[in-house]
Amino acid sequence: PAGPGYADYYHVLREVGAASVLVELEYHDHPDGELLLLEPGTMDIQAPQALARAITGFLGIGPAALPAAGTPIAGSPAASLAQAREWLKEKAPGWEHLADLYYSTGPKYNIRPDVALSQACKETGFFKFGGQVQAWQNNYCGLAATGQASNGRTPLRGADPGRVRFQAGVHGAIFIDPPTGVEAHVQHLYAYACPDPLPAGATLLSPRFALVKRGSARIVEHLGAAGNPVGVGWAYPGRDYGQSIVRDYLAALMAVKTAETEAIKVEFERCRAALSRVTAERDELVVKIGRIKDLLG
């Protein structure tokens, strides 16, 4: 039993009819701990992975089947559309419309639009297109740009010929319009992040979709083959490729300040102050209850 003035934290262990373990991952009443718990990916990705690795390690069954910690490609964005538009307004004026396309297309495939947009900015140099692929191709991720120009007979591998084509002497795929180029990019990320077929009603637009080892890169850091445990990836050899997307692009996008993000920060501080008050009141009540129990014997 707990001492006077303290809650009985082990009640949940004693009163259940099964083997139980109580794990404290962090402390919400500590400012740094609270911020960590509120960070995207802490409770839905990193914490479960840490627990799974601890359990499998204890049981001696190994962590091979567990997903690696990192920046997930699938899921909800950590940066808002408003942040994305503001980011492109500063870094790539005139290309803000692509933020709208990525943020409307990504959710259809459960692919994070902020991740896809960050990769597009890396691949195109913030849409300056200083490499082999040109702006008129509507190819925002270097899709099918292998270093060798097409001879005009590059196979589409099931991609819609009315919206995707190759042209002799041109590097990479050519998409009929920006929405098609964005969706092809999102589809190709989907191929790496997910083993499932395309969502119902989706038309294949990525001419290299069938070449991807499905589900082989569920986190951004594994998009470079050199950093992927299975040795495949979007980029070859791709040393620091995925890490660069996160470090040099996604982090900057997430840090963009807008009226929306500032309002969220104000509300966060208000909620944190309220939580601190409630926590203090709870602690006082626990002490009082303990004293009452002592008086009653």
Side-chain angles (χ1 to χ4, degrees), residues 81-82 84-90 92-105 113 117 120 126-127 129 135 138-140 177-183:
L81 173 58
R85 288 187 61 85
E86 191 67 25
W87 190 48
L88 292 187
K89 182 178 179 181
E90 176 188 354
W95 292 89
E96 295 92 329
H97 62 286
L98 286 187
D100 298 329
L101 289 176
Y102 275 103
Y103 274 73
S104 62
T105 305
L117 180 60
F126 283 105
F127 307 106
F129 294 94
N138 299 312
N139 186 339
Y140 307 118
D177 53 25
T180 300
V182 168
E183 187 165 3

Side-chain angles (χ1 to χ4, degrees), residues 1 6 53 82 87 93 120 123 138 176 226 241 270 290 293:
Y6 293 92
R53 292 180 190 281
W87 190 48
E123 288 281 351
N138 299 312
I176 192 170
Y241 178 79
R270 187 190 70 79
K293 287 182 177 179

Side-chain angles (χ1 to χ4, degrees), residues 4 45 110 161 196 225 228 236 259:
I45 299 173
N110 192 34
D196 299 331
N228 191 317
Y236 287 84

